[in-house]
Amino acid sequence: MVMLLGKKIGMTRIYDESGKITPVTVIQAGPCTVMQLKTDKSDGYSAIQLGYGDVKRSGVNKPASGHADKAKTSPRKFVREMRLDNSNQTQYKAGDEISVSAFSNVKFVDVSGTSKGKGFSGVMKRHGFGGFPASHGTERKHRAPGSISSYASDAGHGGHPKKGKKMAGRMGGVRVTTKNHRLVSIDEQKSLLIVKGAVAGPSGGYVEIRSSKTEG
Amino acid sequence: MKTEILDSVESKSLKKKVPYFEIGDTVDVHCKIQEGNKTRVQVFTGTVIARKGRGMSETFTVRRVVADEGVERIFPLHSPNVLDVRPVRSGKARRAKLYYLRKRSGKGVKLSQRHSEHTVIK
């Protein structure tokens, strides 16, 4: 598996020779620095810690600054881990740079980002409920969730809604992974990955890009 | 900076020469059509009533009336299937979207010509 951290730039479209349109997302990925190696021995699992995006030294606290010093690099804005098999670890060492060229043999990628926050949303928007008719006597209930429980729903103990009942509430602003984006092209000079389809989060949001476990 | 990167990605596949036409013009749109394994060029003639979007996503809408029935086609400006857009008659339009033409019929659809002549290809 290969992984990079990056920033979503935005969406556009590309045409192939037959004029077919492919919607694509442009991601500026890497170069990422290996901040730390985690091993079975010292941490109980093996992984490498990647860092992306510069941040001023005055903007981070001493632990973060010292952590970067250990890898002989500057502090990074966005830091995430990539799990590894034990056998793969020897190819990385702290301070290494990983660029988009690592994806040159990859056809499909998974992308994780933080989705746009939608605030406190009703059930129609949040869970796709159908709501109620616009007319035919419906009053003040057009977007209501309907019945959430009955007296019998907790047999013998009076009624309670079931745990996990889909209701209105905070929506968005959570980690969302979209899988199997076709990797359309790579621009090594500008460190860009162009993937098919939409990726979670706003333009300018930080994302993780991993090669897909399943092909296509 | 974000838009700069997006523009640089798009600039590779944008058409180098974008045909010049204005809203209200009557144009011939030459588009490539695949029929089985043969391709041929079809010409769609009508009035440009709208231009939307920017960059790669820019489209224009062409309206014509065939047998008292309005037909509108939306073409992506940068699609390789849109080979050429040739203005055949200028039309004077005072707004960017000529959706009001949809409510008109007969002589009412005709726009008066602009006096200044076209600079045909930029």
Side-chain angles (χ1 to χ4, degrees), chain B residues 29-33 39-44 81 83-84:
Chain B
V29 184
H30 295 245
C31 49
K32 208 158 71 181
I33 283 187
T39 54
R40 62 183 188 85
V41 176
Q42 193 187 55
V43 181
F44 186 87
N81 282 352
L83 300 173
D84 199 5

Side-chain angles (χ1 to χ4, degrees), chain A residues 10-201:
Chain A
M11 287 193 75
T12 178
R13 54 166 74 172
I14 53 169
Y15 298 93
D16 65 9
E17 314 82 64
S18 64
K20 214 177 148 197
I21 291 167
T22 310
V24 292
T25 306
V26 180
I27 301 168
Q28 190 171 48
C32 294
T33 317
V34 178
M35 307 283 283
Q36 188 189 355
L37 291 179
K38 296 202 168 183
T39 56
D40 271 342
K41 226 178 178 181
S42 56
D43 305 274
Y45 64 100
S46 70
I48 55 169
Q49 193 183 63
L50 299 171
Y52 170 77
D54 285 324
V55 58
K56 269 193 241 163
R57 251 182 212 276
S58 58
V60 297
N61 55 18
K62 275 188 179 170
S65 181
H67 184 65
D69 287 337
K70 274 189 195 167
K72 296 193 176 59
T73 166
S74 54
R76 294 303 156 106
K77 182 119 180 147
F78 185 54
V79 178
R80 288 290 182 276
E81 277 181 19
M82 164 173 137
R83 289 292 282 265
L84 287 177
D85 298 338
N86 274 330
S87 52
N88 283 343
Q89 194 146 38
T90 45
Q91 59 182 318
Y92 299 105
K93 60 180 193 297
D96 277 0
E97 287 232 316
I98 304 177
S99 72
V100 282
S101 54
F103 276 84
S104 53
N105 292 323
V106 175
K107 288 199 177 105
F108 293 91
V109 294
D110 298 343
V111 184
S112 307
T114 306
S115 63
K116 284 184 188 172
K118 304 290 179 190
F120 191 99
S121 307
V123 288
M124 287 180 72
K125 183 176 184 148
R126 193 172 182 222
H127 299 298
F129 282 18
F132 285 83
S135 65
H136 293 299
T138 310
E139 278 184 318
R140 305 176 295 276
K141 273 179 117 18
H142 304 285
R143 299 180 66 88
S147 169
I148 53 169
S149 73
S150 73
Y151 183 71
S153 61
D154 193 15
H157 304 284
H160 296 288
K162 281 188 171 173
K163 281 195 173 168
K165 173 76 195 127
K166 289 174 180 171
M167 291 204 249
R170 279 277 181 95
M171 182 185 172
V174 293
R175 180 189 167 89
V176 172
T177 305
T178 43
K179 291 182 175 173
N180 298 327
H181 293 274
R182 186 159 63 82
L183 188 53
V184 177
S185 66
I186 300 174
D187 186 333
E188 294 194 9
Q189 271 184 332
K190 295 199 176 85
S191 330
L192 299 179
L193 293 176
I194 298 177
V195 301
K196 185 183 171 187
V199 162

